[in-house]
mmCIF file of all heavy atoms in Angstrom:
data_model
loop_
_atom_site.group_PDB
_atom_site.id
_atom_site.type_symbol
_atom_site.label_atom_id
_atom_site.label_comp_id
_atom_site.label_asym_id
_atom_site.label_seq_id
_atom_site.Cartn_x
_atom_site.Cartn_y
_atom_site.Cartn_z
ATOM 1 N N SER A 299 0.805 -1.209 0.041
ATOM 2 C CA SER A 299 -0.049 -0.016 0.007
ATOM 3 C C SER A 299 0.940 1.244 -0.070
ATOM 4 O O SER A 299 0.459 2.326 -0.569
ATOM 5 C CB SER A 299 -0.878 -0.028 1.165
ATOM 6 O OG SER A 299 -1.717 -1.139 1.226
ATOM 7 N N GLY A 300 2.087 1.202 0.643
ATOM 8 C CA GLY A 300 2.939 2.339 0.635
ATOM 9 C C GLY A 300 3.422 2.608 -0.808
ATOM 10 O O GLY A 300 3.536 3.736 -1.207
ATOM 11 N N LEU A 301 3.746 1.539 -1.530
ATOM 12 C CA LEU A 301 4.218 1.708 -2.962
ATOM 13 C C LEU A 301 3.057 2.377 -3.786
ATOM 14 O O LEU A 301 3.252 3.309 -4.571
ATOM 15 C CB LEU A 301 4.557 0.408 -3.597
ATOM 16 C CG LEU A 301 5.847 -0.318 -3.148
ATOM 17 C CD1 LEU A 301 5.936 -1.649 -3.629
ATOM 18 C CD2 LEU A 301 7.072 0.501 -3.524
ATOM 19 N N GLU A 302 1.849 1.877 -3.577
ATOM 20 C CA GLU A 302 0.690 2.384 -4.333
ATOM 21 C C GLU A 302 0.412 3.849 -3.895
ATOM 22 O O GLU A 302 0.023 4.729 -4.786
ATOM 23 C CB GLU A 302 -0.549 1.541 -4.108
ATOM 24 C CG GLU A 302 -1.742 1.919 -4.833
ATOM 25 C CD GLU A 302 -2.970 1.085 -4.488
ATOM 26 O OE1 GLU A 302 -2.786 0.089 -3.785
ATOM 27 O OE2 GLU A 302 -4.022 1.489 -4.877
ATOM 28 N N PHE A 303 0.528 4.170 -2.620
ATOM 29 C CA PHE A 303 0.354 5.480 -2.088
ATOM 30 C C PHE A 303 1.364 6.451 -2.674
ATOM 31 O O PHE A 303 0.985 7.577 -3.176
ATOM 32 C CB PHE A 303 0.462 5.497 -0.516
ATOM 33 C CG PHE A 303 0.323 6.823 0.099
ATOM 34 C CD1 PHE A 303 -0.905 7.431 0.266
ATOM 35 C CD2 PHE A 303 1.483 7.564 0.449
ATOM 36 C CE1 PHE A 303 -1.037 8.694 0.907
ATOM 37 C CE2 PHE A 303 1.333 8.811 1.080
ATOM 38 C CZ PHE A 303 0.107 9.387 1.275
ATOM 39 N N ALA A 304 2.626 6.047 -2.673
ATOM 40 C CA ALA A 304 3.635 6.896 -3.271
ATOM 41 C C ALA A 304 3.409 7.183 -4.701
ATOM 42 O O ALA A 304 3.673 8.297 -5.224
ATOM 43 C CB ALA A 304 5.076 6.259 -3.069
ATOM 44 N N TYR A 305 2.852 6.273 -5.464
ATOM 45 C CA TYR A 305 2.605 6.443 -6.863
ATOM 46 C C TYR A 305 1.364 7.294 -7.142
ATOM 47 O O TYR A 305 1.415 8.208 -7.900
ATOM 48 C CB TYR A 305 2.439 5.067 -7.535
ATOM 49 C CG TYR A 305 1.954 5.217 -8.988
ATOM 50 C CD1 TYR A 305 2.900 5.395 -10.067
ATOM 51 C CD2 TYR A 305 0.655 5.068 -9.366
ATOM 52 C CE1 TYR A 305 2.500 5.516 -11.324
ATOM 53 C CE2 TYR A 305 0.171 5.137 -10.677
ATOM 54 C CZ TYR A 305 1.177 5.379 -11.610
ATOM 55 O OH TYR A 305 0.756 5.511 -12.980
ATOM 56 N N SER A 306 0.308 6.994 -6.413
ATOM 57 C CA SER A 306 -1.003 7.613 -6.712
ATOM 58 C C SER A 306 -1.023 9.046 -6.221
ATOM 59 O O SER A 306 -1.781 9.848 -6.692
ATOM 60 C CB SER A 306 -2.078 6.818 -6.166
ATOM 61 O OG SER A 306 -2.064 6.698 -4.682
ATOM 62 N N GLN A 307 -0.325 9.366 -5.133
ATOM 63 C CA GLN A 307 -0.430 10.669 -4.481
ATOM 64 C C GLN A 307 0.592 11.613 -4.988
ATOM 65 O O GLN A 307 0.520 12.839 -4.723
ATOM 66 C CB GLN A 307 -0.351 10.522 -3.021
ATOM 67 C CG GLN A 307 -1.577 9.743 -2.368
ATOM 68 C CD GLN A 307 -2.891 10.378 -2.745
ATOM 69 O OE1 GLN A 307 -3.236 11.524 -2.384
ATOM 70 N NE2 GLN A 307 -3.662 9.612 -3.509
ATOM 71 N N ALA A 308 1.631 11.135 -5.655
ATOM 72 C CA ALA A 308 2.686 12.054 -6.208
ATOM 73 C C ALA A 308 2.158 12.585 -7.582
ATOM 74 O O ALA A 308 1.523 11.897 -8.354
ATOM 75 C CB ALA A 308 4.007 11.250 -6.417
ATOM 76 N N PRO A 309 2.601 13.787 -7.916
ATOM 77 C CA PRO A 309 2.368 14.270 -9.263
ATOM 78 C C PRO A 309 3.071 13.432 -10.315
ATOM 79 O O PRO A 309 4.163 12.876 -9.954
ATOM 80 C CB PRO A 309 2.796 15.819 -9.190
ATOM 81 C CG PRO A 309 3.840 15.742 -8.097
ATOM 82 C CD PRO A 309 3.335 14.730 -7.107
ATOM 83 N N LEU A 310 2.541 13.391 -11.493
ATOM 84 C CA LEU A 310 3.068 12.567 -12.479
ATOM 85 C C LEU A 310 4.604 12.838 -12.687
ATOM 86 O O LEU A 310 5.325 11.877 -12.909
ATOM 87 C CB LEU A 310 2.362 12.760 -13.888
ATOM 88 C CG LEU A 310 2.769 11.989 -15.061
ATOM 89 C CD1 LEU A 310 2.570 10.538 -14.789
ATOM 90 C CD2 LEU A 310 2.054 12.469 -16.362
ATOM 91 N N PHE A 311 4.992 14.138 -12.740
ATOM 92 C CA PHE A 311 6.328 14.474 -12.956
ATOM 93 C C PHE A 311 7.280 14.332 -11.745
ATOM 94 O O PHE A 311 8.441 14.627 -11.938
ATOM 95 C CB PHE A 311 6.437 15.913 -13.499
ATOM 96 C CG PHE A 311 5.857 16.894 -12.611
ATOM 97 C CD1 PHE A 311 6.527 17.528 -11.602
ATOM 98 C CD2 PHE A 311 4.523 17.259 -12.741
ATOM 99 C CE1 PHE A 311 6.130 18.470 -10.740
ATOM 100 C CE2 PHE A 311 3.968 18.221 -11.873
ATOM 101 C CZ PHE A 311 4.704 18.821 -10.857
ATOM 102 N N MET A 312 6.786 13.779 -10.672
ATOM 103 C CA MET A 312 7.682 13.530 -9.469
ATOM 104 C C MET A 312 7.449 12.168 -8.901
ATOM 105 O O MET A 312 7.819 11.904 -7.751
ATOM 106 C CB MET A 312 7.377 14.593 -8.416
ATOM 107 C CG MET A 312 7.757 15.979 -8.833
ATOM 108 S SD MET A 312 7.470 17.245 -7.551
ATOM 109 C CE MET A 312 8.880 16.934 -6.487
ATOM 110 N N GLN A 313 6.827 11.252 -9.690
ATOM 111 C CA GLN A 313 6.602 9.934 -9.170
ATOM 112 C C GLN A 313 7.825 9.134 -8.907
ATOM 113 O O GLN A 313 7.933 8.460 -7.899
ATOM 114 C CB GLN A 313 5.630 9.141 -10.164
ATOM 115 C CG GLN A 313 4.243 9.609 -10.131
ATOM 116 C CD GLN A 313 3.436 8.887 -11.134
ATOM 117 O OE1 GLN A 313 3.950 8.498 -12.216
ATOM 118 N NE2 GLN A 313 2.129 8.885 -11.011
ATOM 119 N N GLY A 314 8.811 9.288 -9.769
ATOM 120 C CA GLY A 314 10.082 8.599 -9.489
ATOM 121 C C GLY A 314 10.786 9.091 -8.260
ATOM 122 O O GLY A 314 11.272 8.254 -7.450
ATOM 123 N N VAL A 315 10.835 10.351 -8.008
ATOM 124 C CA VAL A 315 11.470 10.874 -6.808
ATOM 125 C C VAL A 315 10.716 10.368 -5.538
ATOM 126 O O VAL A 315 11.334 9.951 -4.571
ATOM 127 C CB VAL A 315 11.515 12.453 -6.850
ATOM 128 C CG1 VAL A 315 11.948 12.995 -5.517
ATOM 129 C CG2 VAL A 315 12.294 12.848 -7.972
ATOM 130 N N CYS A 316 9.374 10.449 -5.614
ATOM 131 C CA CYS A 316 8.572 10.021 -4.393
ATOM 132 C C CYS A 316 8.726 8.518 -4.167
ATOM 133 O O CYS A 316 8.859 8.139 -2.967
ATOM 134 C CB CYS A 316 7.126 10.419 -4.700
ATOM 135 S SG CYS A 316 6.760 12.112 -4.524
ATOM 136 N N MET A 317 8.836 7.727 -5.253
ATOM 137 C CA MET A 317 9.080 6.369 -5.009
ATOM 138 C C MET A 317 10.403 6.138 -4.412
ATOM 139 O O MET A 317 10.609 5.316 -3.523
ATOM 140 C CB MET A 317 8.922 5.550 -6.340
ATOM 141 C CG MET A 317 8.877 4.050 -6.248
ATOM 142 S SD MET A 317 7.467 3.468 -5.373
ATOM 143 C CE MET A 317 6.199 3.677 -6.654
ATOM 144 N N GLY A 318 11.421 6.858 -4.890
ATOM 145 C CA GLY A 318 12.793 6.756 -4.379
ATOM 146 C C GLY A 318 12.818 7.138 -2.801
ATOM 147 O O GLY A 318 13.457 6.547 -2.016
ATOM 148 N N LEU A 319 12.022 8.218 -2.506
ATOM 149 C CA LEU A 319 11.964 8.608 -1.058
ATOM 150 C C LEU A 319 11.287 7.582 -0.183
ATOM 151 O O LEU A 319 11.775 7.299 0.880
ATOM 152 C CB LEU A 319 11.187 9.969 -0.962
ATOM 153 C CG LEU A 319 11.828 11.158 -1.477
ATOM 154 C CD1 LEU A 319 10.908 12.346 -1.527
ATOM 155 C CD2 LEU A 319 13.055 11.533 -0.537
ATOM 156 N N PHE A 320 10.272 6.861 -0.808
ATOM 157 C CA PHE A 320 9.604 5.845 -0.070
ATOM 158 C C PHE A 320 10.563 4.722 0.239
ATOM 159 O O PHE A 320 10.666 4.124 1.327
ATOM 160 C CB PHE A 320 8.350 5.376 -0.713
ATOM 161 C CG PHE A 320 7.682 4.156 -0.040
ATOM 162 C CD1 PHE A 320 6.939 4.300 1.092
ATOM 163 C CD2 PHE A 320 7.836 2.856 -0.614
ATOM 164 C CE1 PHE A 320 6.332 3.293 1.699
ATOM 165 C CE2 PHE A 320 7.265 1.801 0.045
ATOM 166 C CZ PHE A 320 6.481 1.986 1.191
ATOM 167 N N LEU A 321 11.271 4.277 -0.804
ATOM 168 C CA LEU A 321 12.314 3.165 -0.722
ATOM 169 C C LEU A 321 13.370 3.538 0.266
ATOM 170 O O LEU A 321 13.898 2.652 0.897
ATOM 171 C CB LEU A 321 12.742 2.798 -2.092
ATOM 172 C CG LEU A 321 11.726 2.199 -3.082
ATOM 173 C CD1 LEU A 321 12.379 2.126 -4.463
ATOM 174 C CD2 LEU A 321 11.258 0.843 -2.551
ATOM 175 N N ALA A 322 13.729 4.867 0.313
ATOM 176 C CA ALA A 322 14.800 5.223 1.199
ATOM 177 C C ALA A 322 14.529 5.087 2.700
ATOM 178 O O ALA A 322 15.294 4.891 3.498
ATOM 179 C CB ALA A 322 15.190 6.658 0.916
ATOM 180 N N THR A 323 13.131 5.124 2.971
ATOM 181 C CA THR A 323 12.724 4.960 4.293
ATOM 182 C C THR A 323 13.177 3.570 4.945
ATOM 183 O O THR A 323 13.384 3.423 6.080
ATOM 184 C CB THR A 323 11.195 5.092 4.568
ATOM 185 O OG1 THR A 323 10.551 4.109 3.770
ATOM 186 C CG2 THR A 323 10.728 6.491 4.097
ATOM 187 N N CYS A 324 13.198 2.626 3.993
ATOM 188 C CA CYS A 324 13.580 1.208 4.468
ATOM 189 C C CYS A 324 15.033 1.250 4.931
ATOM 190 O O CYS A 324 15.359 0.671 5.966
ATOM 191 C CB CYS A 324 13.448 0.206 3.319
ATOM 192 S SG CYS A 324 11.668 0.005 2.722
ATOM 193 N N GLY A 325 15.891 1.916 4.156
ATOM 194 C CA GLY A 325 17.310 1.993 4.559
ATOM 195 C C GLY A 325 17.438 2.756 5.862
ATOM 196 O O GLY A 325 18.249 2.366 6.719
ATOM 197 N N ILE A 326 16.750 3.916 5.916
ATOM 198 C CA ILE A 326 16.832 4.732 7.126
ATOM 199 C C ILE A 326 16.296 3.956 8.324
ATOM 200 O O ILE A 326 16.874 3.989 9.448
ATOM 201 C CB ILE A 326 16.009 6.048 6.896
ATOM 202 C CG1 ILE A 326 16.594 6.828 5.796
ATOM 203 C CG2 ILE A 326 15.935 6.825 8.201
ATOM 204 C CD1 ILE A 326 15.777 8.052 5.396
ATOM 205 N N GLY A 327 15.254 3.134 8.108
ATOM 206 C CA GLY A 327 14.669 2.344 9.227
ATOM 207 C C GLY A 327 15.705 1.400 9.801
ATOM 208 O O GLY A 327 15.775 1.199 11.069
ATOM 209 N N GLY A 328 16.593 0.863 8.958
ATOM 210 C CA GLY A 328 17.639 -0.089 9.443
ATOM 211 C C GLY A 328 18.613 0.704 10.406
ATOM 212 O O GLY A 328 19.009 0.153 11.401
ATOM 213 N N TYR A 329 18.963 1.944 10.022
ATOM 214 C CA TYR A 329 19.909 2.743 10.875
ATOM 215 C C TYR A 329 19.107 3.199 12.189
ATOM 216 O O TYR A 329 19.781 3.302 13.187
ATOM 217 C CB TYR A 329 20.383 3.898 10.108
ATOM 218 C CG TYR A 329 21.367 3.376 8.987
ATOM 219 C CD1 TYR A 329 21.024 3.422 7.643
ATOM 220 C CD2 TYR A 329 22.663 3.002 9.360
ATOM 221 C CE1 TYR A 329 21.806 2.969 6.677
ATOM 222 C CE2 TYR A 329 23.470 2.564 8.333
ATOM 223 C CZ TYR A 329 23.078 2.522 6.997
ATOM 224 O OH TYR A 329 23.936 2.087 6.073
ATOM 225 N N VAL A 330 17.837 3.462 12.015
ATOM 226 C CA VAL A 330 17.104 3.829 13.307
ATOM 227 C C VAL A 330 17.069 2.583 14.268
ATOM 228 O O VAL A 330 17.215 2.779 15.483
ATOM 229 C CB VAL A 330 15.642 4.183 12.919
ATOM 230 C CG1 VAL A 330 14.760 4.239 14.212
ATOM 231 C CG2 VAL A 330 15.619 5.550 12.144
ATOM 232 N N ALA A 331 16.957 1.434 13.716
ATOM 233 C CA ALA A 331 17.029 0.191 14.524
ATOM 234 C C ALA A 331 18.391 0.105 15.265
ATOM 235 O O ALA A 331 18.472 -0.224 16.425
ATOM 236 C CB ALA A 331 16.810 -1.051 13.662
ATOM 237 N N GLU A 332 19.427 0.397 14.487
ATOM 238 C CA GLU A 332 20.736 0.474 15.126
ATOM 239 C C GLU A 332 20.890 1.511 16.269
ATOM 240 O O GLU A 332 21.474 1.206 17.269
ATOM 241 C CB GLU A 332 21.844 0.714 14.042
ATOM 242 C CG GLU A 332 22.017 -0.484 13.078
ATOM 243 C CD GLU A 332 22.741 -1.648 13.587
ATOM 244 O OE1 GLU A 332 23.427 -1.539 14.599
ATOM 245 O OE2 GLU A 332 22.482 -2.776 13.109
ATOM 246 N N LEU A 333 20.259 2.665 15.896
ATOM 247 C CA LEU A 333 20.315 3.749 16.930
ATOM 248 C C LEU A 333 19.576 3.350 18.207
ATOM 249 O O LEU A 333 20.047 3.580 19.367
ATOM 250 C CB LEU A 333 19.653 4.959 16.370
ATOM 251 C CG LEU A 333 19.588 6.158 17.265
ATOM 252 C CD1 LEU A 333 20.903 6.713 17.733
ATOM 253 C CD2 LEU A 333 18.830 7.273 16.566
ATOM 254 N N ILE A 334 18.429 2.593 18.056
ATOM 255 C CA ILE A 334 17.605 2.195 19.264
ATOM 256 C C ILE A 334 18.508 1.231 20.075
ATOM 257 O O ILE A 334 18.575 1.297 21.319
ATOM 258 C CB ILE A 334 16.388 1.412 18.719
ATOM 259 C CG1 ILE A 334 15.436 2.479 18.151
ATOM 260 C CG2 ILE A 334 15.749 0.738 19.940
ATOM 261 C CD1 ILE A 334 14.209 1.808 17.458
ATOM 262 N N LEU A 335 19.299 0.336 19.359
ATOM 263 C CA LEU A 335 20.208 -0.558 20.111
ATOM 264 C C LEU A 335 21.239 0.228 20.917
ATOM 265 O O LEU A 335 21.617 -0.205 22.049
ATOM 266 C CB LEU A 335 20.760 -1.609 19.237
ATOM 267 C CG LEU A 335 19.844 -2.622 18.528
ATOM 268 C CD1 LEU A 335 20.619 -3.596 17.623
ATOM 269 C CD2 LEU A 335 19.123 -3.495 19.633
ATOM 270 N N VAL A 336 21.816 1.168 20.277
ATOM 271 C CA VAL A 336 22.842 2.035 20.929
ATOM 272 C C VAL A 336 22.250 2.736 22.160
ATOM 273 O O VAL A 336 22.855 2.738 23.205
ATOM 274 C CB VAL A 336 23.424 3.119 19.936
ATOM 275 C CG1 VAL A 336 24.230 4.111 20.642
ATOM 276 C CG2 VAL A 336 24.144 2.439 18.789
ATOM 277 N N ILE A 337 21.032 3.227 22.030
ATOM 278 C CA ILE A 337 20.388 3.972 23.195
ATOM 279 C C ILE A 337 20.101 2.941 24.270
ATOM 280 O O ILE A 337 20.403 3.148 25.468
ATOM 281 C CB ILE A 337 19.103 4.616 22.693
ATOM 282 C CG1 ILE A 337 19.438 5.790 21.741
ATOM 283 C CG2 ILE A 337 18.335 5.154 23.891
ATOM 284 C CD1 ILE A 337 18.283 6.453 21.124
ATOM 285 N N VAL A 338 19.607 1.755 23.841
ATOM 286 C CA VAL A 338 19.346 0.695 24.892
ATOM 287 C C VAL A 338 20.556 0.316 25.675
ATOM 288 O O VAL A 338 20.515 0.158 26.860
ATOM 289 C CB VAL A 338 18.666 -0.471 24.243
ATOM 290 C CG1 VAL A 338 18.678 -1.734 25.112
ATOM 291 C CG2 VAL A 338 17.183 -0.108 23.845
ATOM 292 N N ASP A 339 21.673 0.138 24.862
ATOM 293 C CA ASP A 339 22.978 -0.212 25.531
ATOM 294 C C ASP A 339 23.425 0.871 26.470
ATOM 295 O O ASP A 339 23.939 0.645 27.567
ATOM 296 C CB ASP A 339 24.020 -0.427 24.443
ATOM 297 C CG ASP A 339 24.010 -1.927 23.926
ATOM 298 O OD1 ASP A 339 23.291 -2.724 24.529
ATOM 299 O OD2 ASP A 339 24.555 -2.148 22.907
ATOM 300 N N ALA A 340 23.211 2.139 26.034
ATOM 301 C CA ALA A 340 23.738 3.237 26.882
ATOM 302 C C ALA A 340 22.847 3.276 28.202
ATOM 303 O O ALA A 340 23.335 3.680 29.273
ATOM 304 C CB ALA A 340 23.539 4.599 26.172
ATOM 305 N N VAL A 341 21.574 2.938 28.151
ATOM 306 C CA VAL A 341 20.741 3.040 29.339
ATOM 307 C C VAL A 341 20.819 1.833 30.176
ATOM 308 O O VAL A 341 20.853 1.945 31.449
ATOM 309 C CB VAL A 341 19.180 3.263 28.858
ATOM 310 C CG1 VAL A 341 18.262 3.237 30.049
ATOM 311 C CG2 VAL A 341 19.062 4.665 28.150
ATOM 312 N N THR A 342 20.893 0.660 29.574
ATOM 313 C CA THR A 342 20.826 -0.592 30.372
ATOM 314 C C THR A 342 22.232 -1.163 30.575
ATOM 315 O O THR A 342 22.369 -2.062 31.392
ATOM 316 C CB THR A 342 19.969 -1.664 29.721
ATOM 317 O OG1 THR A 342 20.584 -2.106 28.481
ATOM 318 C CG2 THR A 342 18.523 -1.107 29.360
ATOM 319 N N GLY A 343 23.231 -0.616 29.897
ATOM 320 C CA GLY A 343 24.596 -1.230 30.009
ATOM 321 C C GLY A 343 24.744 -2.359 29.042
ATOM 322 O O GLY A 343 23.776 -2.878 28.507
ATOM 323 N N SER A 344 25.916 -2.747 28.831
ATOM 324 C CA SER A 344 26.245 -3.887 27.953
ATOM 325 C C SER A 344 26.613 -5.201 28.615
ATOM 326 O O SER A 344 26.882 -6.180 27.953
ATOM 327 C CB SER A 344 27.464 -3.470 27.004
ATOM 328 O OG SER A 344 28.606 -3.191 27.807
#
């Protein structure tokens, strides 16, 4: 649904950019997961 949303809600001349931005969230999410682990380690110790 996210792919469809990015396509249908973006203007025709910016659909590629919007799809790229949506796909980039997956990569950013991976780094957010790493950040969460860093914060958890800082709070609870290793």
Side-chain angles (χ1 to χ4, degrees):
S299 301
L301 289 171
E302 186 185 347
F303 176 81
Y305 173 81
S306 64
Q307 296 303 295
L310 181 63
F311 55 90
M312 295 182 76
Q313 285 174 337
V315 172
C316 288
M317 190 66 73
L319 288 171
F320 176 75
L321 294 171
T323 61
C324 298
I326 296 171
Y329 290 104
V330 168
E332 292 288 335
L333 177 62
I334 291 172
L335 291 180
V336 170
I337 295 173
V338 165
D339 275 346
V341 174
T342 67
S344 58

